[in-house]
Amino acid sequence: MRPRRLRTTAAMRRMVAEHHLHPSDLVLPAFVREGIAEPEPIASMPGVVQHTRDSLRKAAVAAAEAGVAGIMLFGVPEESKKDAVGTPGTDPEGILQRALRDVRAEVGDGLVVMSDLCLDEVTDHGHCGVLDAEGRVDNDATLRRYAEMALAQAEAGAHVLGPSGMMDGQVGHVRRALDAAGHQDVALLAYTAKYASAFYGPFREAVNSSLSGDRRAYQQDPPNGREALRELALDLAEGADMVMVKPGLPYLDVLRQVADASPVPVAAYQISGEYAMVEAAAEKGWIDRERAIDETLTAFRRAGADMVLTYWATEVAARL
Ligand code: PBG
């Protein structure tokens, strides 16, 4: 037997490839910051910026033109506006709501416009929820805030909301609030298996996070794979339209399990630290940047992801 016969030429390899990257599988996460006049580079994510409202519109158009499927927006409010309950998250004039309206006005339905549904970007303590008297994240009080945020984001024009806070019951709670307010068409991309990861490091800089401490009391513990299937069952029962595994590369086994079990589309999120690792090694000349990027994206497809959230979405889509 000679498996090598199928590896002899580029044309042969292309023909027998089981997976091909395609722009329509890619989603661009993007940050928009209130009160800045110029895009602000994020040092730990070379090539990624905190956008102004104006530069975000341009980035959305560039993504659409490259054929990228969607954009996932994160809002960074002015520091002075953050508070214990995350008021900028429900204010119709909060930065995320403004950015949603901007992007919809610019691209209409040409991109799937998504928004992060979480409190960490808008609270002064930086946790993904509101705190109880002991300083712990209060699950059910947080659900009430998520419902209010969901309505603000839906009213601002989001096609898809991404509840990412890992509160129990968040998908069902948000679904009921949306339906009761007439937003039946707004879809939910559930952060189903989301692990308490060191690889979120650069994201903290990207959203000027105020967090001191960690999220281990609500995000999943890295040793646990089986738990992802429990989270999947709950999210499906609560009405998730799509599910996600996050981070990406360190959790390809979890992605495979979720993809095998899920009747709805599955996304993988290639997070900030994964991006930073490749960029840093490439900058030192230690790896071939483009090959490494494509290899990581292909790995997600091979492990069962239908779509990938990646900070390289526009760049990769443009050269495919
Ligand atoms: C929570 C959220 C986080 C990320 C996406 N949504 C941070 C966290 O859970 O700590 C991380 C994304 C990345 O690291 O690229 N709002």
Side-chain angles (χ1 to χ4, degrees), residues 6 13 19 26 40 63-64 74 100 117 131 149 198-199 218 261 271 279 284 287 289 292 298 308 319:
L6 299 183
R13 291 190 293 273
H19 301 281
L26 304 177
E40 180 76 27
F74 296 87
L100 281 165
L117 177 43
L131 307 181
M149 290 178 79
F199 293 98
Y218 40 103
I271 63 162
E279 290 289 349
K284 284 189 174 280
I287 55 171
R289 182 177 175 280
T298 302
V308 184
R319 68 172 154 77

Side-chain angles (χ1 to χ4, degrees), residues 303-318:
D306 299 294
M307 57 204 156
V308 184
L309 283 81
T310 173
Y311 298 98
W312 289 304
T314 304
E315 175 193 323
V316 172

Side-chain angles (χ1 to χ4, degrees), residues 74 116 118 120-121 128 164 191 194 199-200 203-204 215 219 246 269-273 311:
F74 296 87
D116 188 55
C118 194
D120 65 316
E121 293 104 354
C128 292
S164 66
Y191 282 59
K194 180 171 178 187
F199 293 98
Y200 300 135
F203 180 87
R204 302 282 146 84
R215 308 197 196 289
Q219 295 179 344
K246 178 182 177 184
Y269 196 142
Q270 181 176 55
I271 63 162
S272 56
Y311 298 98

Side-chain angles (χ1 to χ4, degrees), residues 16-17 22 26 81 183 185 254 286 288 301:
V16 301
H22 195 271
L26 304 177
K81 295 191 182 159
H183 295 295
D185 286 342
V254 175
W286 290 347
D288 179 326
R301 300 283 287 136

